[in-house]
Amino acid sequence: MPGRTPPGRGAPHLVNPLTGQGVGRTRPLPRRAFLRGAGMASATAFLASCGISARSGGPTTVADRTDSDRKLNWSNWQAYIDVDDNDPNKHPTLDEFQKATGIKVTYTEDVNDNNDYFAKIQPQLANGDAISADTFCVTDWMADKIIRLGYALPLDHANIPNLKNLDPQLLNVDYDPGRKYSVTWQSGLTGIATNPKSSGGKAIETMDQLLTDRSLHGKVTLLTEMRDTIGLVLLDLGYDPQDFTEEQFLKANAKVEAAVNSGQVRSFTGNEYTQGLASGDIAACVAWSGDVVQLQAKDASLQYVLPEAGAMRWSDNFVVPIRTPHKKGVEELINFYLKPDVSATVEEYVNYICPVPSAKAVVAADPDKDVAALAANELIFPTAKTTGKLHGFMSLDEDLSTRYGDYFNKLTGA
């Protein structure tokens, strides 16, 4: 993992994309840096080709022991929850939950990569066995995969009354309408990052500009994640990434291909673009908001914009695996983190898009001016104008996932 900044109150590191003003806390490297992966599509055919099958074996549920066995295990990404200023191994909101409910939570930061985590738990889930975690947080496409394979338990919304606080845009995602199997933990953005020192001071605000402006020739990178890169190009072409045709996908793919063939695009990357962006070797790139936020702590001149045509929004989500004996306890945990005051405390540290819009008022009322300023940050509490520009990516069936992936992978060299 790249170098980390100890959490605590310090120099502002977040830059409001609308005002250019820095606000917020310093904190460890965002976990989005670890995101990798295949698509959001139904995974059964893909997994079968790799020798991986859907669930087999016994029943998915066991008797819930939460009332008599007050404990649960939660797996999450690194640096993705609030920490005590004096002890980074302590998490104030978890301490509050344990005190309020009597449920002891073992919190483990072992989700370093969606695919790696899935590979670790899949053999047990496919066999119909319980895993060590009673809940874990994974990104949309992986949550979709787990749900489709029959590895997730349905949630009892009667135990999650605070689900009413969830951002309405996050409630009816196409892979889990009504959030029957998953609930958002945090969200983030995919947009365009620019180093003005190597872009000639030019602001890069559209994908067309990124892919065709000759002054950027050979100094542009795109993400290997198809849904982020192609999603932005679809938007730029006037198409809806949540509802597009194959013809529209091919037009977007062709636009990227032209930029690759012309030498405009230097490479496709995971989060390793951060080093080149910081050094100026990369003038502009498709980037994840959390990565750029961290870079801005050291170089406030770096810019991050949401293209006028729109940006991609992704989420990490709670999922409850089959055969956990503590599902009710997990539902209590999810309900707790959907409280506005609790969600506000988490956002003070992690600085991603808050899934609970009503937490904004709590943050704005904080007596600490640095914390209160977070309420005005569009990367944490986007206004209606900004949320109207955010989009997910259409869920794909097995055939489309394979076909679109093949088209895109030819460009990336995968």
Side-chain angles (χ1 to χ4, degrees), residues 42-344:
S42 173
T44 305
F46 169 77
L47 291 171
S49 70
C50 301
I52 300 175
S53 60
R55 188 190 66 81
S56 61
T60 60
T61 60
V62 296
D64 195 276
R65 301 201 303 266
T66 299
D67 289 341
S68 60
D69 187 23
R70 304 293 281 175
K71 64 182 182 182
L72 65 86
N73 298 321
W74 176 12
S75 288
N76 204 355
W77 302 82
Q78 295 183 38
Y80 211 25
I81 194 172
D82 55 298
V83 296
D84 188 291
D85 285 340
N86 299 314
D87 186 349
N89 295 314
K90 290 185 177 181
H91 310 293
T93 57
L94 267 184
D95 291 343
E96 182 182 347
F97 172 76
Q98 292 176 121
K99 182 177 180 180
T101 64
I103 297 176
K104 177 177 173 54
V105 179
T106 299
Y107 184 78
T108 307
E109 296 180 327
D110 61 342
V111 186
N112 290 325
D113 176 280
N114 282 294
N115 282 328
D116 287 351
Y117 188 74
F118 179 77
K120 180 171 68 172
I121 64 176
Q122 190 276 336
Q124 294 163 272
L125 295 176
N127 196 45
D129 297 332
I131 62 173
S132 60
D134 295 296
T135 188
F136 49 81
C137 295
V138 290
T139 310
D140 293 310
W141 59 267
M142 180 56 76
D144 181 23
K145 178 186 293 189
I146 289 168
I147 293 167
R148 288 175 185 257
L149 288 171
Y151 295 163
L153 291 178
L155 299 171
D156 184 349
H157 287 183
N159 294 327
I160 315 175
N162 288 329
L163 190 62
K164 65 184 180 183
N165 297 330
L166 187 69
D167 185 336
Q169 282 197 340
L170 300 172
L171 185 59
N172 286 305
V173 293
D174 58 357
Y175 64 87
D176 188 17
R179 290 293 182 178
K180 297 177 182 178
Y181 292 90
S182 65
V183 175
T184 304
W185 167 242
Q186 298 291 312
S187 295
L189 304 173
T190 306
I192 299 174
T194 307
N195 186 327
K197 296 172 185 175
S198 55
S199 70
K202 185 181 299 185
I204 312 302
E205 299 180 342
T206 70
M207 286 300 291
D208 181 71
Q209 185 181 9
L210 185 71
L211 296 175
T212 64
D213 188 329
R214 297 297 291 177
S215 68
L216 305 175
H217 187 263
K219 297 186 291 183
V220 169
T221 63
L222 306 177
L223 291 172
T224 55
E225 172 52 56
M226 180 186 73
R227 283 152 184 78
D228 287 319
T229 295
I230 293 295
L232 289 178
V233 178
L234 284 167
L235 286 166
D236 198 72
L237 292 172
Y239 305 138
D240 183 355
Q242 295 176 151
D243 184 16
F244 58 87
T245 66
E246 183 158 357
E247 180 183 7
Q248 291 169 342
F249 174 89
L250 291 175
K251 286 182 179 179
N253 199 70
K255 189 173 182 69
V256 175
E257 183 177 19
V260 171
N261 291 341
S262 72
Q264 179 80 356
V265 175
R266 128 185 224 159
S267 64
F268 289 80
T269 74
N271 77 297
E272 62 267 25
Y273 66 82
T274 55
Q275 296 178 352
L277 182 65
S279 69
D281 289 340
I282 296 172
C285 59
V286 175
W288 291 310
S289 57
D291 287 344
V292 181
V293 159
Q294 181 68 16
L295 293 176
Q296 287 171 336
K298 297 180 179 179
D299 185 352
S301 73
L302 298 178
Q303 300 170 356
Y304 189 75
V305 300
L306 307 184
E308 277 303 314
M312 301 304 293
R313 179 175 184 168
W314 49 266
S315 296
D316 292 324
N317 310 275
F318 284 104
V319 177
V320 181
I322 58 173
R323 297 188 66 79
T324 172
H326 303 111
K327 184 173 80 76
K328 182 179 176 183
V330 173
E331 291 161 347
E332 290 186 52
L333 179 77
I334 295 171
N335 190 62
F336 176 80
Y337 276 99
L338 288 173
K339 294 172 60 177
D341 58 330
V342 176
S343 188

